[in-house]
Amino acid sequence: MALANTIRQLRFHHGEITQKDLAEYVGVSRQTICTIEGGKYLPSLEVAFRIANILCTPLENVFSYDPDIEGDDELPPKVIIHMTVDAGEPIDGNS
């Protein structure tokens, strides 16, 4: 998976919190934390934010996207969209 995480390092940085304790705080099973930490399972956004909140760190310090991690071939290529806006009539705020 292309999503890397630092959960293990952060758990130890915060007093060696166990997977079991983190799971209880987050509201998931210890196995869920184990598989997320091992990179075998992607958490929902809600669970990801809960983990970051409990570990007192921004989400981007817990999870990061790494396209060089194997197993990323299922993702579509990046698409850049260019938009133009027709100026049309000015908006005067009194309309």
Side-chain angles (χ1 to χ4, degrees), residues 19-41:
Q19 288 179 340
K20 180 182 176 195
D21 289 340
L22 181 58
E24 287 177 10
Y25 298 143
V26 174
V28 297
S29 69
R30 185 199 61 79
Q31 291 84 355
T32 298
I33 295 296
C34 182
T35 55
I36 292 170
E37 194 175 282
K40 296 178 179 146
Y41 177 73

Side-chain angles (χ1 to χ4, degrees), residues 4 10 14 16-17 30 40 47-49 52 58-59 63 68 91-92 94-95:
L10 290 168
H14 291 305
E16 298 188 23
I17 185 173
R30 185 199 61 79
K40 296 178 179 146
V47 169
F49 275 104
L59 185 65
F63 297 96
D68 295 329
I91 301 173
D92 63 6
N94 293 327
S95 303

